[in-house]
Amino acid sequence: MNTQKPVRFVKNPNSLLVHSIFYTIQGEGPFSGHKALFIRLAGCNLQCPYCDTQYTDGAIQMSPEDIITEALAINNADEDLFRLVVITGGEPLGQDLFELVQQLRPFGGEIQIETNGTFDLPG
């Protein structure tokens, strides 16, 4: 059972609350089976009882630049590192993703956002 408390988001494009950054295989959706860089943000506005993501413990504030720097440090020799980027959470749309997405776009990969659907996409 999920005992994590829902959070109230404060949107700031220059600082995101990040749980973890890791490189793995996407296991869901249309990109299932593809190598992916996961950026797991922290915090969620819901408390779904079946949630399996510990989205609050160990989270830190990071700038979009810091996120990309950390991602490059994970595996900078793999040319596929940014081919698929999955921004997940908690609930990633509770935070302002604009600057992060802008900084990911020049790498030319797909950007997938996994959301619970309770926030509208900006713009």
Side-chain angles (χ1 to χ4, degrees):
M1 172 146 218
N2 180 7
T3 60
Q4 298 173 100
K5 300 296 181 209
V7 299
R8 294 194 62 150
F9 292 105
V10 177
K11 293 191 176 193
N12 178 353
N14 299 311
S15 181
L16 297 167
L17 190 58
V18 179
H19 178 273
S20 54
I21 301 170
F22 54 98
Y23 194 51
T24 190
I25 304 295
Q26 171 61 299
E28 303 172 336
F31 294 103
S32 184
H34 293 257
K35 291 191 279 185
L37 172 68
F38 273 69
I39 301 170
R40 176 166 286 140
L41 302 180
C44 186
N45 58 317
L46 302 177
Q47 190 179 20
C48 300
Y50 52 81
C51 183
D52 64 351
T53 300
Q54 293 298 319
Y55 49 75
T56 54
D57 294 341
I60 61 170
Q61 292 287 335
M62 296 179 76
S63 70
E65 296 86 1
D66 291 340
I67 292 169
I68 290 173
T69 298
E70 185 166 323
L72 288 168
I74 290 171
N75 187 354
N76 62 7
D78 192 329
E79 61 195 43
D80 291 337
L81 180 62
F82 291 100
R83 185 161 297 179
L84 174 60
V85 177
V86 179
I87 303 172
T88 186
E91 173 46 58
L93 292 180
Q95 300 190 58
D96 187 338
L97 302 180
F98 181 79
E99 189 59 35
L100 175 61
V101 170
Q102 291 298 85
Q103 291 193 31
L104 288 168
R105 290 181 71 203
F107 292 98
E110 299 285 341
I111 300 170
Q112 186 177 40
I113 300 172
E114 297 181 341
T115 176
N116 63 28
T118 59
F119 291 93
D120 289 331
L121 285 171

